[in-house]
Amino acid sequence: MSGVWLTAAFLGLLFLFLGTGVWIGLSLIGVSAFGMALFTPRPVGDAMAITVWGMSSSWTLTALPLFIWMGEILFRSKLSENLFRGLTPLMSRLPGGLLHVNVAGCAIFAAISGSSAATVATVGKMSIPELRRRRYPERMIVGTLAGAGTLGLLIPPSIILIIYGVTVNESIAQLFIAGVLPGIMLAGLFMGYVAIWGLLTRNAGALEETRASWQEKLSGLWQLAPVLLLIVFVIGSIYAGIATATEAAVFGVAGALALSALQGSLTRKSFMDSLLGATRTASMIALILAGSAFLSLAMGFTGLPRALATTIAGWELSPIALIVALTVFYIVLGCFLDGISAVVLTMAVIEPLVRSSGFDMIWFGIYLVVVVEMAQITPPVGFNLFVLQGMTGRDMAFIARAAAPMFVLMVLAVALLVAFPDIATFLPRQMMGR
Amino acid sequence: AQRWDMPLAYPATNYHSETAAEFARAVTEATGGEIEIVTHPGGSLFKGDEIFRAVRTGQAPIGERLVSAMSNEDPVFGVDALPFLATSFDEAWKLYQASKPIMEKVLEEKGTKLLYAVAWPPQGLYSVKPIARVEDMAGVKFRAYNAATERLAELMGAVPTKIEAAELGQAFATGVAESMISSGATGYDMKIWEYVKYWYDTQAWLPKNIVIVNLETWNGLDEKTRAIILEEAAKAEKAGWDRARELSDWYKAELTRNGMIVEPPSEQLKAGFAAIGETMTAEWLATAGQNGKAVIDAYRK
Amino acid sequence: MAVFRRLGRALDGLYLVAGYLAAACLAGLGCLVLASVVTRLMSVYVGWLGEYAGYAMAAASFLAFAHTLRSGEQIRVGILLGRLEGVARRVVQLWCLLAATAISCWFAWYMVRLAMTSYRFGDRSEGTAATLLWIPQTPVAVGAVILAVAFAHSLIEAIVLGRSGISEPEEQGGETATGDKAAG
Ligand code: NA
Ligand code: NA
């Protein structure tokens, strides 16, 4: 079939561009233009421009640059240092030590932010320099961040759960509640991995922080107070009905500025540095987002994701076999598309299939988010990998390898969700049963 | 043979999308595959606010859009969103027929051809507390999303509150919004009974989705193909309106079934809204010029 | 050669100015979002705040493209480049710059066309503000053009001077650079 060859050419070209080192956003744009020109007679460039403009100016994305700015401010203040000084006595006795900060930090920040890129960028900005200074292995720093950053999608609020809920007409409130336990479970899996790594690694003992007295622990908590206050401030603004989830980001910026001013670390220079640093990071992500919006449009025109989904529908699988097939399908799709595009492009075909197999759609939404979360850390197109590359300067292969164990843990999380669906459905049932 | 990609803003299970999908199949069959229409629901190709632009510039040969959302392009597109002007399916159909010639003319000037239009179920008043008279709306946080709903809030004495569609559920849950005017469909889709208790069937207005095709593409077709497409469009339009009527009752039943109090507006509320409607129609006429006057005259004839 | 250098310096100045404008847009974005919370608390309806926050974000992203690129923060996959040396490395480097220049020119051309088409049609936004779309689309088009210029500039530098003014992937590696040169 010529369709198969065209697809192969499309993917081959993507690997050629990305692999030889053409800038990621531009690779995506170039390859999408080529692919779309093969599959449709429509004017490619104008369609690209409309889509890129729509994505770049979309109001729901405005939280992303603001959270990045918040991270830059915190990074330049003493707050991130304090966060670590405070957490050190608390986590000193856990095997794996301060690496747990990455996971816990991401899980907490996930409760503020609806996106995975913002979670990685904000937490990483604070934790990477501190963990490096304490000589934690780069592989573990990067890996835990990449994996735990995906919690931004699972722990509410979550952009992708909103999109899923609207698409399949399920309650967003219930989906949000349903995401809580699996989010904690996944964070637990990551922390368990860090602990086991800490126990098994020979020289991890050298990293073990010194044992802390109760006094030190208490003073540690005091050091943590400002950051905790900031988080409560941001989450509180949402749940008090003062700000929407998107607007809360600006409270993060304002709070971070206020705290660093109180500490005396806010100067004209540190303000400008944080603003310019955030502008550059946001701009880097925006160029890739522009490319991926266009890739998504091109995929839509080619009809490839839908054709694949239709093929799976044609197999008439048993429920368990269907879940296995869908998991593989979304992992493959996730290599090239971000999670949201993968959901939007396929749900029209997948939804009836899943409903007719008798799955609870709330459960399926959580399952789906965990599966497409993996897309964030699979090469060649994986957003958390890109963000971490921008932040660490390490190459993609290194980061993808570092994230691989987290990928395996997420597969395990999916298996647990299938084996024990209550993990996702227990809380929403309680909510309905009141 | 041509392939027409058709972007749709609403999910595949929405009745507008279902109508469009049937229309697409029917055209593909009736033209013997000469025109193959492929629908892309859920904003998977172009988002709602990109679709008109995409069709008009030929990026997508055909597409569907909520016509009142285009009223910044031309005020006449906003006539079906005038509150309390046409407040039933029959009146909405009459208003559609009255506005159709002018809407077609304006759409053609903008490079598109109207194929068919289908109404949404009537818009009712959602509120967290009971509303017996317009005065009860005083100080209530009312969701506004465009100039018209802002003005409506103002005339009711409510506080217009800007909330984007994606955050509606959360806004009601946290009390950022306390009231809005929207169809039973919206409330059903977002399971609004989790946050809101009352829905008044005010039938404030019945907005429409229109299906348009790029004019150049259209003019490039032969007479026979055009006739086939128009015939299928007429069938789709009828099927769409029939569905809207059926669903309107179904949505009401669903809201009730899920514990909401669904009531017709009290006489006092109705009278208050009618007066607001008069004001807003008069204000609209002042901006919509000759075209607007022609539509209203034809409708009231 | 002297003319070439002077032009190069002028261009570097251009990228920096655009970068500062972008930063101003990011600060503006923060103010707009803050205003949307504050106005709601004060029960004042300002319909255009969300819309303009989106425009500010688009301008901030696009105007900073070139500055970010030249600071070595527009990322790419450096596996191959990091392993090559000599002529092979130079060839791949030139290929990357050539491909990027071509694609960014194509990209810029259509972003300019987007603004021009909006202008020709008098396209307006669907929101309360009914903004003429070509206005917020202009900084986006300008940013895309500056990015294309920056790539072409880097390509010519690589051909004439032997190396481009973009920080290269392997120079960012290691423990010292965190991708945050401003702080280091
Ligand atoms: Na989240
Ligand atoms: Na991926």
Side-chain angles (χ1 to χ4, degrees), chain B residues 48-50 52-53 56-57 65-66 69-70 72-73 110 141 144-147 149-150 159-164 176, chain C residues 36 40 43-51 113-115 117-118 121-130 133 137:
Chain B
D49 57 357
E50 299 165 2
F52 179 58
R53 165 78 176 246
R56 151 185 220 197
T57 51
R65 181 64 181 142
L66 178 70
M70 292 154 51
N72 285 344
E73 288 283 339
K110 295 184 183 292
K141 291 181 206 150
Y145 53 90
N146 59 17
T149 44
E150 180 197 355
V159 178
T161 302
K162 178 181 61 73
I163 312 284
E164 309 290 331
V176 172
Chain C
S36 102
R40 183 172 333 98
S43 300
V44 179
Y45 176 87
V46 188
W48 48 267
L49 286 171
E51 190 183 324
R113 244 176 79 109
L114 175 81
T117 311
S118 296
F121 285 159
D123 261 358
R124 288 181 181 278
S125 71
E126 289 187 352
T128 319
L133 281 175
Q137 284 169 351

Side-chain angles (χ1 to χ4, degrees), chain A residues 109-115 119 151-159:
Chain A
F109 190 75
I112 304 176
S113 141
S115 98
T119 308
L151 291 170
L153 300 176
L154 192 54
I155 295 176
S158 154
I159 296 174

Side-chain angles (χ1 to χ4, degrees), chain A residues 49-381:
Chain A
I50 289 184
T51 307
V52 167
W53 163 251
M55 163 70 98
S56 312
S57 62
S58 113
W59 177 84
T60 36
L61 268 181
T62 52
L64 183 65
L66 291 177
F67 274 131
I68 291 172
W69 189 12
M70 172 179 117
E72 292 274 347
I73 297 165
L74 293 180
F75 164 72
R76 283 179 175 74
S77 70
K78 290 177 203 134
L79 287 168
S80 54
E81 213 183 300
N82 286 356
L83 177 70
F84 276 80
R85 218 182 289 143
L87 282 169
T88 309
L90 297 179
M91 303 211 159
S92 55
R93 297 185 60 188
L94 290 176
L98 289 182
L99 282 171
H100 292 289
V101 173
N102 269 351
V103 181
C106 284
I108 293 170
F109 190 75
I112 304 176
S113 141
S115 98
S116 147
T119 308
V120 172
T122 313
V123 176
K125 193 81 210 172
M126 289 191 281
S127 73
I128 291 173
E130 297 286 333
L131 289 173
R132 273 179 173 168
R133 214 172 49 216
R134 291 173 161 81
R135 307 235 159 262
Y136 282 89
E138 188 87 352
R139 189 174 57 80
M140 288 302 290
I141 302 178
V142 171
T144 50
L145 262 179
T150 63
L151 291 170
L153 300 176
L154 192 54
I155 295 176
S158 154
I159 296 174
I160 193 166
L161 278 176
I162 293 177
I163 287 171
Y164 172 81
V166 169
T167 310
V168 305
N169 183 23
E170 288 294 335
S171 158
I172 290 162
Q174 281 194 46
L175 282 166
F176 275 11
I177 294 284
V180 173
L181 285 184
I184 294 173
M185 172 186 81
L186 196 51
L189 285 176
F190 292 144
M191 289 179 114
Y193 172 77
V194 169
I196 291 172
W197 170 87
L199 288 174
L200 295 185
T201 309
R202 240 178 302 126
N203 56 358
L207 296 167
E208 239 166 64
E209 319 284 342
T210 46
R211 196 170 279 227
S213 66
W214 276 107
Q215 216 165 8
E216 282 171 303
K217 285 188 183 171
L218 278 178
S219 92
L221 278 177
W222 179 242
Q223 304 255 26
L224 284 181
V227 174
L228 290 179
L229 200 71
L230 179 63
I231 288 166
V232 170
F233 181 54
V234 174
I235 298 183
S237 75
I238 299 177
Y239 290 96
I242 294 170
T244 66
T246 308
E247 293 164 346
V250 83
F251 281 78
V253 172
L257 282 174
L259 284 178
S260 72
L262 282 175
Q263 291 193 329
S265 47
L266 183 66
T267 61
R268 195 194 175 87
K269 181 175 181 309
S270 77
F271 177 82
M272 278 315 289
D273 285 349
S274 74
L275 185 58
L276 276 170
T279 306
R280 282 193 298 268
T281 307
S283 167
M284 178 267 281
I285 295 177
L287 184 56
I288 300 171
L289 272 176
S292 92
F294 183 30
L295 179 65
S296 191
L297 176 79
M299 289 281 218
F301 269 111
T302 63
L304 201 64
R306 205 158 27 157
L308 280 171
T310 312
T311 308
I312 294 180
W315 292 342
E316 298 185 356
L317 300 166
S318 71
I320 287 293
L322 176 67
I323 286 296
V324 172
L326 286 179
T327 306
V328 174
F329 167 63
Y330 278 109
I331 289 175
V332 171
L333 212 56
C335 290
F336 305 100
L337 290 173
D338 67 286
I340 291 176
S341 306
V343 171
V344 169
L345 286 172
T346 57
M347 272 330 277
V349 179
I350 296 295
E351 186 193 348
L353 192 60
V354 173
R355 277 192 196 276
S356 66
S357 300
F359 287 103
D360 178 323
M361 291 309 278
I362 299 284
W363 176 87
F364 186 77
I366 300 303
Y367 152 84
L368 192 61
V369 169
V370 177
V371 175
V372 300
E373 267 185 359
M374 298 178 195
Q376 304 283 342
I377 57 171
T378 52
V381 182

